[in-house]
Amino acid sequence: MSEGQRFQLGTIGALSLSVVSSVSIVICNKALISSLGFTFATTLTSWHLLVTFCSLHVALWMKLFEHKPFDPRAVMGFGILNGISIGLLNLSLGFNSVGFYQMTKLAIIPCTVLLETIFFRKQFSRSIQFSLAILLVGVGIATVTDLQLNVLGSVMSLLAVITTCVAQIMTNTIQKKFKVSSTQLLYQSCPYQAMTLFIVGPFLDGLLTNQNVFAFKYTPQVLFFIVLSCLISVSVNFSTFLVIGKTSPVTYQVLGHLKTCLVLAFGYVLLHDPFSWRNILGILIAVVGMVLYSYCCTLDGQQKANEAATQLPQVKESESDPLISVEKGTGIINDGVAKAPVWNSNKDLHA
């Protein structure tokens, strides 16, 4: 099996793991919050991260992966930013209507595209932009019901979108810059994320629910679902870093909207949630957008691979006979060494 085939197989595995684990934890948390009344989402997330860190520590002790320390300031900043983005998303949901919160989540994709274009000079073809637009329209039709605006909620949503985009872009760039795996990055950043949410979680949950997480009555059924949610979260957190590292923040957001559609469908089938023709139409349009996005990414990836292949003979020619390449203007001589033209690769296109 070639390296390219291994990469594609690993990407498919990461995407599948992310979808299965995310849909599972949503269903589990919905039962915990809606049926059992445990509404302390931020505190629960801090427990998720704590269990994830403990699981990775055991895996490190069993030598399932290698610990690779790198810039501690980058790790600390990344971990705290991730924790803050989670808290802000919960505040956005608390201070806004469900419809406006869904619009906030939809805004993450165009914001990520904008930031990557401005600061990383990443190019998105018109076909990819068109497919993303179709996807966002479909998810919007399926999920957005009302748009009640208020100043505080709008500010929280804006901050949530910005911090989430930056955190997900950092997840991708840190793995590339420091050459660390998703497991190594998650292991080192988990304590900072968990600490941030563990400190602010009870305060935020109290502000949003007017209840005290420490005064809640923990029945055996509640404890069972909390433990189950924490165990599933290990897979969710790991697959999140894995998907962003192997693809891109934009592809991860596209995958997130696929999960939203699946959650709506499973909610209707398993939990008998209300379902309308508008939901069905929105999900179908969103699926069309996802298929187009995957197709366009594949085409662009093949095009870049072909461009790279056509430049390889020029590279070999410049290395074998630099004088000829200089006369033809196809190479650059620097201290007697021929340098080949450089082209950029777009990892998003391998998704």
Side-chain angles (χ1 to χ4, degrees):
M1 185 180 293
S2 66
E3 184 177 349
Q5 290 176 324
R6 283 198 212 99
F7 179 84
Q8 290 181 350
L9 187 61
T11 302
I12 293 172
L15 295 172
S16 303
L17 178 63
S18 180
V19 170
V20 172
S21 58
S22 295
V23 173
S24 300
I25 201 170
V26 167
I27 294 174
C28 177
N29 288 348
K30 187 166 186 178
L32 185 60
I33 293 172
S34 301
S35 304
L36 301 176
F38 188 85
T39 56
F40 311 102
T42 309
T43 303
L44 180 62
T45 305
S46 70
W47 296 347
H48 287 171
L49 291 165
L50 183 61
V51 171
T52 298
F53 174 73
C54 293
S55 302
L56 290 176
H57 195 69
V58 172
L60 179 65
W61 177 72
M62 296 174 64
K63 297 183 178 179
L64 297 179
F65 72 97
E66 181 183 354
H67 179 47
K68 184 178 179 181
F70 59 96
D71 190 353
R73 289 180 299 178
V75 175
M76 181 183 296
F78 169 72
I80 293 175
L81 181 64
N82 256 312
I84 291 173
S85 70
I86 294 171
L88 286 171
L89 281 171
N90 288 335
L91 283 174
S92 173
L93 178 58
F95 285 103
N96 292 300
S97 63
V98 175
F100 192 82
Y101 174 71
Q102 291 295 340
M103 286 298 296
T104 298
K105 292 173 67 177
L106 292 177
I108 293 176
I109 282 185
C111 183
T112 304
V113 170
L114 180 64
L115 291 177
E116 289 198 306
T117 302
I118 294 175
F119 295 103
F120 295 91
R121 302 192 180 280
K122 191 172 183 178
Q123 299 298 320
F124 294 88
S125 66
R126 290 188 179 276
S127 56
I128 289 180
Q129 294 175 18
F130 178 69
S131 64
L132 290 175
I134 293 177
L135 166 66
L136 295 177
V137 168
V139 177
I141 292 174
T143 61
V144 177
T145 53
D146 60 329
L147 291 176
Q148 300 174 8
L149 302 179
N150 65 82
V151 176
L152 181 59
S154 300
V155 171
M156 292 297 175
S157 295
L158 178 62
L159 293 175
V161 169
I162 294 173
T163 53
T164 300
C165 292
V166 173
Q168 291 182 358
I169 291 173
M170 285 181 66
T171 303
N172 184 271
T173 54
I174 286 177
Q175 291 186 53
K176 293 177 180 177
K177 179 179 179 180
F178 296 102
K179 293 181 172 54
V180 293
S181 67
S182 55
T183 310
Q184 292 167 332
L185 177 58
L186 180 60
Y187 175 71
Q188 294 186 64
S189 63
C190 244
Y192 298 105
Q193 296 183 59
M195 189 186 312
T196 302
L197 293 177
F198 193 79
I199 293 172
V200 303
F203 171 74
L204 291 183
D205 290 333
L207 179 66
L208 297 173
T209 65
N210 294 320
Q211 298 182 53
N212 187 348
V213 64
F214 301 109
F216 187 81
K217 185 178 179 181
Y218 291 89
T219 64
Q221 193 175 11
V222 170
L223 290 174
F224 170 78
F225 275 97
I226 289 176
V227 171
L228 179 61
S229 179
C230 289
L231 292 176
I232 299 175
S233 73
V234 177
S235 176
V236 173
N237 291 322
F238 173 72
S239 63
T240 297
F241 280 61
L242 190 61
V243 167
I244 296 177
K246 282 186 171 292
T247 57
S248 75
V250 173
T251 298
Y252 176 72
Q253 285 299 322
V254 171
L255 187 69
H257 292 308
L258 170 62
K259 299 171 195 172
T260 300
C261 295
L262 290 175
V263 167
L264 287 173
F266 277 114
Y268 173 72
V269 174
L270 300 178
L271 305 176
H272 305 292
D273 289 343
F275 210 65
S276 67
W277 284 106
R278 176 179 172 175
N279 299 126
I280 297 174
L281 176 63
I283 289 175
L284 291 176
I285 295 175
V287 169
V288 170
M290 292 172 203
V291 172
L292 281 176
Y293 176 78
S294 300
Y295 178 72
C296 293
C297 285
T298 302
L299 284 183
D300 285 2
Q302 291 175 349
Q303 182 180 354
K304 285 191 175 291
N306 292 335
E307 290 176 359
T310 56
Q311 293 185 34
L312 282 177
Q314 297 178 8
V315 175
K316 291 180 179 179
E317 182 182 355
S318 65
E319 288 176 348
S320 60
D321 198 343
L323 292 177
I324 295 177
S325 64
V326 169
E327 291 175 359
K328 292 182 179 180
T330 58
I332 300 174
I333 298 297
N334 185 9
D335 296 332
V337 179
K339 291 189 177 181
V342 179
W343 60 89
N344 294 322
S345 61
N346 187 341
K347 192 144 187 192
D348 185 43
L349 304 179
H350 292 290

